[in-house]
Amino acid sequence: MTLSLASLRHASTFAVLLASFAPSSPSAAATDRPVVIELFTSQGCSSCPPANAYLNEMVRQRRDVLPLAFHVTYWDRLGWKDPFSLPAATDRQARYGSRFGDGSYTPEIVVDGVTGRLVPLRDVPALTDALLEVIGPAIDRARAARATATPLKLARNGDKLTVEVGGGEGRGRVLLVGFDRRHETAIGRGENGGRTLEELNVVRSVRTLADWSGTALRLTEPMPEGEDAAVILEAADGRIVGAARL
């Protein structure tokens, strides 16, 4: 296969993008909560694989972020039913769309519940550039701000989880997210038909555990659907103000 000069240029851009995922220092990772990165995606969307690859690299190389892939349902009627599509993911994106005023589309990346804007592009190189130029700086800004209402802790004992929410000021709701670490899927039909997609941190369940009003909480819960788990504290306006993972 022969690559054009433009293709090589964009391949180089993507290499720069991946190089930007250098891990933060251990001390910072140990003391700061992770920035929550939500990717709204679908196996039926031809524009999504580059964004999935972006998320995969964050999972592999960074501990200062919590990347989560939310597979929406509205592509399921267009030739390929995503086995990981989740009505809760569609509902969550719809709430963001109402707040941001931009509706629902894939791929979309929301950073810490504050900013999310990635116009769906059919041109993969253009999407790669958008990831580098738009989402990267948004993550850097969120990492610098790191709004945190209170610390969260999450521990597992067998099939049970212990969730600890500290005291503080403000209000919010505590969300438990279950996710699988890795899936590889051969796509049989639809816009990605014939491709095999690797997807990491695939969300399998989301549910509200409790409302938080500044009083410390200690909760014992069964493991959610999924191999792994994370807990998120979401303010009333949708901003994420706390996060922890196993």
Side-chain angles (χ1 to χ4, degrees):
M1 180 178 70
T2 302
L3 293 175
S4 67
L5 179 60
S7 298
L8 289 170
R9 183 181 302 115
H10 288 296
S12 175
T13 299
F14 197 51
V16 171
L17 172 67
L18 299 188
S20 71
F21 293 130
S24 58
S25 67
S27 59
T31 57
D32 295 332
R33 74 161 178 89
V35 172
V36 178
I37 312 299
E38 300 174 66
L39 168 64
F40 294 95
T41 184
S42 172
Q43 291 182 352
C45 159
S46 64
S47 300
C48 287
N52 293 334
Y54 183 92
L55 191 90
N56 291 352
E57 291 304 318
M58 281 192 282
V59 172
R60 290 189 172 106
Q61 298 193 31
R62 293 183 69 156
R63 294 296 296 170
D64 61 330
V65 298
L66 172 59
L68 297 168
F70 288 83
H71 288 229
V72 299
T73 59
Y74 48 82
W75 279 90
D76 287 354
R77 65 184 183 275
L78 300 176
W80 175 255
K81 187 179 188 308
D82 188 328
F84 309 116
S85 61
L86 195 65
T90 304
D91 294 343
R92 185 166 179 79
Q93 187 187 31
R95 288 193 294 274
Y96 278 132
S98 178
R99 275 182 55 211
F100 299 150
D102 57 0
S104 295
Y105 51 86
T106 56
E108 179 184 23
I109 294 177
V110 178
V111 180
D112 248 4
V114 175
T115 180
R117 182 66 182 169
L118 187 58
V119 177
L121 299 168
R122 298 293 178 185
D123 181 61
V124 171
L127 177 59
T128 299
D129 285 346
L131 288 165
L132 182 63
E133 296 170 8
V134 178
I135 302 302
I139 294 172
D140 291 341
R141 288 193 298 272
R143 186 170 179 270
R146 198 96 59 159
T148 303
T150 190
L152 304 181
K153 293 182 180 179
L154 184 62
R156 181 175 183 175
N157 184 8
D159 62 351
K160 297 291 186 181
L161 288 176
T162 300
V163 180
E164 295 185 37
V165 185
E169 296 183 357
R171 306 180 69 87
R173 61 176 184 153
V174 183
L175 303 178
L176 180 62
V177 181
F179 60 95
D180 290 344
R181 298 184 189 95
R182 181 182 182 275
H183 284 285
E184 188 171 291
T185 307
I187 310 299
R189 299 180 302 279
E191 292 196 354
N192 288 313
R195 302 182 66 169
T196 297
L197 301 182
E198 180 192 38
E199 295 163 311
L200 306 186
N201 284 19
V202 177
V203 172
R204 305 306 305 278
S205 59
V206 186
R207 64 187 175 93
T208 300
L209 295 185
D211 291 325
W212 178 79
S213 57
T215 302
L217 299 173
R218 182 182 174 89
L219 308 168
T220 301
E221 297 289 332
M223 270 293 293
E225 182 178 353
E227 300 170 337
D228 211 334
V231 64
I232 293 171
L233 180 61
E234 186 177 74
D237 62 0
R239 293 178 303 118
I240 292 172
V241 293
R245 58 189 159 205
L246 286 175

